[in-house]
């Protein structure tokens, strides 16, 4: 049986739509100014980014999704885990030119676990995430 490791990735609206266009089999190519693909090691870290960075950000469509996906663990071992802040902030740095090979080693579909809507969200209803896992980020009181 293939040994897998579950990774997580916070994504905004456009990347979420592209993942669905790929039948949830992987992630879209990086943009020219994105030299790395950064999956993270925990749902808590992905949630923090989706809630605190994506949801308030216009470039993310004012929404952040937490995705999870399983990857062939022996193949994945080529990428060292990097801690980029507190112990919670662990991620992999996959060079953009290796993303297609990375996608080939995803086992099963990319799963959408939850989403966080910013107060300025104007997009469509999200059927990909059960209603009980959809959250609204409110503006801080003045």
């Amino acid at each position: 049986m293939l040994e897998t490791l579950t990774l997580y990735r916070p994504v905004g609206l456009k990347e979420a739509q592209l993942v669905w266009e790929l039948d949830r089999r992987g992630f879209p190519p990086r943009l020219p100014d994105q030299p790395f693909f950064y999956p993270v090691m925990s749902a808590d870290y992905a949630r923090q980014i989706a809630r605190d960075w994506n949801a308030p950000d216009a470039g993310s469509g004012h929404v952040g999704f937490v995705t999870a996906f399983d990857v062939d663990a022996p193949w994945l071992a080529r990428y060292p885990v990097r801690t980029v802040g507190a112990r919670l902030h662990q991620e992999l740095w996959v060079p953009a030119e290796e993303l297609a090979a990375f996608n080939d080693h995803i086992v099963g579909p990319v799963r959408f676990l939850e989403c966080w809507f910013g107060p300025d969200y104007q997009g469509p209803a999200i059927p990909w995430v059960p209603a009980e896992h959809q959250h609204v980020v409110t503006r801080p009181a003045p």
Side-chain angles (χ1 to χ4, degrees):
M1 186 169 171
L2 182 65
E3 180 186 355
T4 62
L5 179 67
T6 300
L7 297 176
Y8 303 86
R9 177 150 172 87
V11 299
L13 183 59
K14 181 64 176 168
E15 188 170 351
Q17 291 168 326
L18 293 171
V19 168
W20 275 92
E21 288 175 15
L22 294 169
D23 293 325
R24 299 183 303 139
R25 294 186 181 161
F27 293 87
R30 303 290 79 205
L31 298 172
D33 63 337
Q34 297 172 326
F36 291 96
F37 173 73
Y38 300 100
V40 303
M41 305 303 292
S42 74
D44 286 339
Y45 184 25
R47 181 178 302 113
Q48 183 180 56
I49 296 169
R51 181 191 62 225
D52 299 348
W53 296 359
N54 296 120
D57 179 54
S60 295
H62 294 290
V63 64
F65 297 90
V66 175
T67 67
F69 51 98
D70 302 317
V71 182
D72 173 350
W75 183 86
L76 193 62
R78 68 188 64 219
Y79 301 106
V81 175
R82 298 177 187 259
T83 302
V84 295
R87 270 190 305 206
L88 170 69
H89 303 134
Q90 293 188 321
E91 59 193 31
L92 303 179
W93 295 2
V94 179
E97 63 272 12
E98 297 176 21
L99 183 55
F102 182 94
N103 283 340
D104 288 342
H105 288 86
I106 293 176
V107 178
V110 174
R111 302 176 303 280
F112 284 76
L113 303 182
E114 58 189 61
C115 65
W116 296 85
F117 296 102
D120 296 320
Y121 181 71
Q122 301 283 323
I126 303 297
W128 321 319
V129 179
E132 65 270 18
H133 297 289
Q134 296 186 23
H135 311 279
V136 176
V137 177
T138 58
R139 283 194 174 88

